[in-house]
Amino acid sequence: MEFVIVWAMVELLLALILVVATAFISAVFFEAYRRKNNNAHVDAPAIFEDPNSLKQVPCPSIFDPAEKYLSLIVPAFNEELRLPGALDETMNYLQQRAAKDKSFTYEVVIVDDGSVDGTKRVAFEFIKKYTVDNMRIILLGRNHGKGEAIRKGMLHSRGELLLMLDADGATKVNDVEKLEKQIHAVAKQDKFRDSSADNSSFRISDIPIAAFGSRAHLEGKALATRKWYRNFLMKGFHLVVLLAAGPGIRDTQCGFKMFTRAAARKIFTNIRLNRWCFDVEVVYLCKWFKIPMLEISVNWSEIPGSKVNLLSIPNMLWELLLMSVGYRTGMWKIRS
């Protein structure tokens, strides 16, 4: 009798596990299918507002020819306190460089991801100071996630080179020259192999290349100062990233990345993940399109106020799972 009861309990437990597993798998496939066209809505028209004249300025498109040399895309969600310092440092660097090199042109594109504090007000103050030609803000209206903010900024920038950087100023903006130098080096190699290329027709924006700022050289120090469970979780996350996107980039999550216009056009018209794991999808798409990826060490410092916490890990794992299912089943079509 006891054996029958135990066996019945085992059967009940197995049935429950099967039901839960089936429900989870169904939820994954349903959500992946729901997001299959998640990259399409970003094609909707976007508008800049000139805070001086209050006139609406139509956004450029990533498919238009470049009008600036460098675009800097800054995603911002409730960054009223940290944004001013980062923008001051950024504009000081850009103005000094433009004064030395008259051919150097730039723009800063701030993407307000549904902030409920004074982020918009801070941005408008800077735009009034530096003009709408050099600094602009895109208002997403509600919070979509960092991935969506970066994507929107990339798709409506004017640069030959497009740099994404965080609003906290954790990475020094002058490190842009490290990424820029390496991109130019690779572009020249590609051009050198093409004997028919003409110097006058060469444009850096036409060659798909991506350069990723990296904190991997700081990993030893971070391991020594972080709590053991944070190290365990980060190691686990890196393993999942390796399984989802493959090897090649040690630090996928550094918020300092540069793309040529051609690379940004291919990548950000296909991105579907809205939040933290969009960086991993960028790596996946670079591999899909065979875009050269460069990983370059940058100066980085911990800035108080990070929005990534331990509760972000489950959401990251969920998005990585969706990405793997979406691409590997063919539900997420990649347009070239």
Side-chain angles (χ1 to χ4, degrees):
M1 179 62 71
E2 290 182 0
F3 174 78
V4 173
I5 294 174
V6 170
W7 181 247
M9 292 179 64
V10 170
E11 286 184 323
L12 182 60
L13 180 60
L14 291 174
L16 182 60
I17 292 174
L18 182 61
V19 169
V20 171
T22 302
F24 179 74
I25 294 172
S26 299
V28 170
F29 275 82
F30 173 79
E31 182 63 16
Y33 181 81
R34 190 180 70 83
R35 295 195 189 193
K36 70 174 185 174
N37 296 318
N38 214 36
N39 61 321
H41 71 279
V42 298
D43 296 331
I47 297 293
F48 292 121
E49 184 178 295
D50 186 338
N52 293 311
S53 65
L54 299 181
K55 291 182 179 179
Q56 291 186 337
V57 182
C59 286
S61 168
I62 191 68
F63 294 98
D64 297 335
E67 299 176 16
K68 301 279 188 178
Y69 173 70
L70 178 65
S71 292
L72 296 90
I73 293 89
V74 184
F77 175 62
N78 293 340
E79 294 289 0
E80 176 184 10
L81 299 179
R82 300 193 297 179
L83 187 60
L87 290 181
D88 276 330
E89 179 187 336
T90 298
M91 293 307 296
N92 286 339
Y93 166 78
L94 294 172
Q95 287 186 317
Q96 290 175 14
R97 183 168 171 180
K100 295 177 182 177
D101 180 2
K102 299 302 180 183
S103 66
F104 176 74
T105 56
Y106 64 87
E107 67 171 348
V108 176
V109 180
I110 304 162
V111 187
D112 185 351
D113 188 23
S115 299
V116 294
D117 64 353
T119 297
K120 176 182 175 181
R121 174 185 53 78
V122 169
F124 273 153
E125 289 174 357
F126 275 86
I127 296 170
K128 287 178 181 178
K129 181 178 179 181
Y130 294 107
T131 77
V132 74
D133 184 53
N134 291 324
M135 185 176 289
R136 301 179 171 190
I137 182 171
I138 299 177
L139 304 173
L140 297 189
R142 64 179 180 85
N143 180 252
H144 293 268
K146 181 181 179 182
E148 174 64 9
I150 292 289
R151 174 169 57 180
K152 198 73 166 183
M154 289 284 176
L155 294 182
H156 296 292
S157 294
R158 296 175 288 169
E160 293 187 59
L161 297 176
L162 295 87
L163 175 77
M164 52 172 274
L165 69 164
D166 291 338
D168 59 5
T171 305
K172 296 300 180 184
V173 67
N174 57 1
D175 274 350
V176 66
E177 296 177 29
K178 294 181 180 179
L179 278 61
E180 182 184 348
K181 180 179 179 180
Q182 293 300 317
I183 283 181
H184 276 280
V186 172
K188 288 176 181 177
Q189 291 172 9
D190 285 349
K191 177 180 178 296
F192 181 77
R193 287 196 294 268
D194 182 5
S195 58
S196 64
D198 183 5
N199 282 331
S200 61
S201 64
F202 172 75
R203 290 180 66 90
I204 190 68
S205 58
D206 296 333
I207 304 175
I209 305 171
F212 296 177
S214 175
R215 304 159 298 182
H217 62 293
L218 303 172
E219 186 175 1
K221 181 179 179 181
L223 286 172
T225 56
R226 277 199 305 247
K227 299 288 187 181
W228 68 268
Y229 59 86
R230 288 179 64 89
N231 289 330
F232 177 78
L233 289 173
M234 289 309 298
K235 287 292 185 181
F237 178 72
H238 290 156
L239 176 61
V240 175
V241 168
L242 183 66
L243 295 174
I249 300 297
R250 293 175 63 194
D251 182 7
T252 60
Q253 302 308 111
C254 181
F256 199 78
K257 296 181 175 67
M258 178 178 280
F259 308 89
T260 61
R261 194 169 187 82
R265 186 183 304 121
K266 289 177 177 290
I267 294 167
F268 291 96
T269 53
N270 283 290
I271 288 284
R272 288 171 171 84
L273 298 182
N274 291 339
R275 298 194 178 274
W276 303 109
C277 280
F278 86 98
D279 298 89
V280 182
E281 191 177 6
V282 166
V283 173
Y284 182 90
L285 289 170
C286 282
K287 291 183 176 183
W288 176 274
F289 286 114
K290 294 181 171 57
I291 295 173
M293 293 184 294
L294 314 171
E295 187 168 15
I296 301 155
S297 298
V298 295
N299 296 306
W300 184 87
S301 55
E302 185 79 43
I303 304 296
S306 173
K307 296 178 176 63
V308 182
N309 52 52
L310 294 179
L311 297 178
S312 303
I313 298 294
N315 183 61
M316 289 179 171
L317 297 176
W318 172 250
E319 286 207 324
L320 288 177
L321 181 59
L322 292 179
M323 187 191 84
S324 296
V325 170
Y327 283 121
R328 285 170 170 76
T329 61
M331 280 191 283
W332 291 9
K333 305 295 183 183
I334 298 177
R335 59 183 182 182
S336 55

